[in-house]
Amino acid sequence: VVSLSENRFVVTTDSMIEDHDFRLDWSSGFDLGFKAVATNVADLAAMGAKPIALVVSLAVSKDTKISWLEAFADGLSQALVELAPTASVVGGDLASSDKAFIAVTAHGDLESKAPVLRSGAKPGDLVAVGGTLGKAAAGLALLRSGGSAKEAFDDLVSFQLRPRPPIELGPVAAESGATAMLDISDSLVKDASRIAEQSLVCI
């Protein structure tokens, strides 16, 4: 959270590395552009902030085709239209690397509201989940299987390649009195334990 003279905003950053977070034989440039936006604006929403600006850095191999880069840019654009229409890409960097590397820094406007941190949960609070659970993991398992099953379950694979977190629920939950929030991209159990640890409660 960055304090200004008149207001506060939040900043988050996330990176994706080839062969660790994605594989180019699974994901298109469009997929990766879309996912790069989704993973970052979800973190802004988890603090109750409205996405306003993204800075995108991309490193790719020297033999990457211009068409791949254009598809990546199209994925960024489409994700903003669908998930964060109040935000835009305001800058970034392009570099060369043996493996593809994507880093996004996203900025969110708190609109004069207090940020919802992971440390505010209290005994007796209700645990609520927005969106779906398990579908992205199922999609990843299908991709790893390498079989024809992934075509039969294209909707699950899509959850992995182009996640659509419920960004709009973050500010709504914040305004409705949520005491602690966190994006659960690392699994419900792992991220709930992070809230519990920061808030000194059991979940």
Side-chain angles (χ1 to χ4, degrees), residues 177-201:
T179 57
M181 293 198 295
L182 184 62
D183 167 54
I184 55 170
S185 56
D186 289 333
S187 84
L188 176 61
V189 171
K190 184 177 288 186
D191 288 320
S193 70
R194 289 169 173 157
I195 287 181
E197 182 178 352
Q198 290 292 312
S199 297
L200 303 178
V201 297

Side-chain angles (χ1 to χ4, degrees), residues 6-8 109-114:
E6 298 295 331
N7 208 335
R8 288 183 294 179
D109 185 0
L110 287 167
E111 300 180 302
S112 300
K113 302 185 297 287

Side-chain angles (χ1 to χ4, degrees), residues 72 84 89 94 101 123 136 164 166:
F72 179 81
V89 175
L94 182 62
F101 181 90
R164 287 175 168 81

